[in-house]
Amino acid sequence: MSSAVEAVPAKPASGRLASLDAYRGFVMICLAANGFGLAAAARNFPDCSIFQAIGYQFEHVAWVGCAFWDLIQPSFMFLVGVAVPYSLTRREAQGESSGKLVTHVLIRSLVLILLGIFLSSGGQPVTNFTFMNVLTQIGLGYPFLFLLRNRGLAIQVAAAVLVLVAYWAWFALTPVKPVDDPKDIHLPENWTLLTGFEAHWQKNANPAATFDRWFLNIFPPAKDPAREAPTTVTGTEGETDEGASGESAIEPARPGLLGQIGAVLRRLVTRPEPYVFNSGGYQTLNFIPSFVTMLIGLMTGEFIRRNSGQHARVFKALLTGGLVLCALGWGIHALGVCPLVKRIWTPSWTLFSSGLTLLMLSGFYGIIDGLGWKAWSFPLVVAGMNSMVLYLSGQLLRGWTADLLKRHINDDLFNIFGEKYAPIVQANLVLLCFWLFVYWLYRQRVFIRV
């Protein structure tokens, strides 16, 4: 049985789609660099319109709308779908049976879900069972993506339409509770509430948010062990563990093996505190419409494989498909049928963002695979071939790496161009460290796959 996490010491296959690796590498570099520090630096220049415009693009919009940074997760998930026909066909060519493929898919899905929960638990006293992280969202949708592989375009399109229409109808048909004050639904006082039909997609007051207030509280809140731990008295009268003070020392009881196992299990299934709302408005059930983003990627990957070598045909199809989906998504939003909200992955957002990812892929494909201009993309390809390493480095090691650079080079290293530009310098120097590591892995022909 193949493992879900593999270190593959092999030469990259010559048949790889270079534009796919480059696009994936571009996304991972943006994530690992935390937007190159541009949003943080823009806050140091509140009166500079250029910096404010750039900074806006490297932060998520508050609710309705789209900025460049909002396209990172759709690109991530879209590219997962594009890669499926290549990765699973490679496994079949190596002789893996259908049973092994199913096992691989299920294990991969579980690993991604657990990785997402692990990343969401950083800084928490216990495991934080939330399912909004991009890895968890991919893991939840991945088995369904596998089921639709090689099913034909008509079935895949029908599945996408069915999911989006059903998800839209659930929101649209759920009665709206009147909200007079944003603070009533845990929003800032100056928050602009959605009105009319669009209020069905209100932040913290939509069906998916209601679902999470039930589902995430299945995991009970952690209790304070200091208040409930049983105690025992040690020592004898007149002689205690603290000396001959005549007072007995109080110690927590030491549970047996079963008690210790129970404590571990309770720690794993408890929440730090009862779930009320997600500050960003993200919801667990986002994986349902975002699965369609991956499905569009799957259809794209299968189309590219079927038309391998027909670069002009593929480029035109990617460009046309991107423009059509953008128009559909924006049109649904503009008509007031469904607002464009990334944070709850509305159906209009699914179509619009998928269209933009297709347009970006068409750019990478046309330049790299169509025109054959590949040299410039080498740093991106290196990053894309160890994308998970780069992503996890950015999530777990960004602050630690910055501290090391200051400690071993110069404490004032990031202020080389002045304090206002320090976020940009820091983000890019940390990124350089991460990229050099994945470049070393590339030179060693080691590629970490999940």
Side-chain angles (χ1 to χ4, degrees), residues 177-210:
K177 295 181 180 180
V179 179
D180 298 322
D181 188 341
K183 291 186 289 185
D184 293 342
I185 52 174
H186 311 285
L187 296 176
E189 188 175 4
N190 60 350
W191 185 269
T192 302
L193 293 169
L194 296 181
T195 59
F197 186 67
E198 289 189 339
H200 288 275
W201 289 270
Q202 195 82 261
K203 184 177 180 180
N204 296 342
N206 57 73
T210 302

Side-chain angles (χ1 to χ4, degrees), residues 118-201:
F118 169 75
L119 293 174
S120 299
S121 301
Q124 300 287 347
V126 296
T127 304
N128 187 21
F129 279 93
T130 60
F131 302 86
M132 294 82 163
N133 179 276
V134 61
L135 297 185
T136 305
Q137 294 277 300
I138 292 171
L140 290 170
Y142 196 72
F144 302 101
L145 191 68
F146 175 75
L147 291 176
L148 286 168
R149 171 179 172 257
N150 292 333
R151 297 294 180 182
L153 185 62
I155 291 177
Q156 291 169 341
V157 170
V161 172
L162 178 62
V163 169
L164 293 183
V165 170
Y167 201 72
W168 173 85
W170 180 41
F171 276 66
L173 297 177
T174 300
V176 174
K177 295 181 180 180
V179 179
D180 298 322
D181 188 341
K183 291 186 289 185
D184 293 342
I185 52 174
H186 311 285
L187 296 176
E189 188 175 4
N190 60 350
W191 185 269
T192 302
L193 293 169
L194 296 181
T195 59
F197 186 67
E198 289 189 339
H200 288 275
W201 289 270

Side-chain angles (χ1 to χ4, degrees), residues 76-126:
F76 197 154
M77 303 187 80
F78 170 78
L79 291 171
V80 168
V82 176
V84 163
Y86 292 89
S87 60
L88 295 186
T89 300
R90 174 179 56 81
R91 287 180 174 274
E92 288 176 331
Q94 293 171 348
E96 288 196 13
S97 64
S98 298
K100 283 189 174 182
L101 277 180
V102 171
T103 302
H104 162 74
V105 167
L106 293 178
I107 291 176
R108 186 183 193 209
S109 177
L110 179 61
V111 169
L112 289 170
I113 291 171
L114 294 177
L115 267 176
I117 293 172
F118 169 75
L119 293 174
S120 299
S121 301
Q124 300 287 347
V126 296

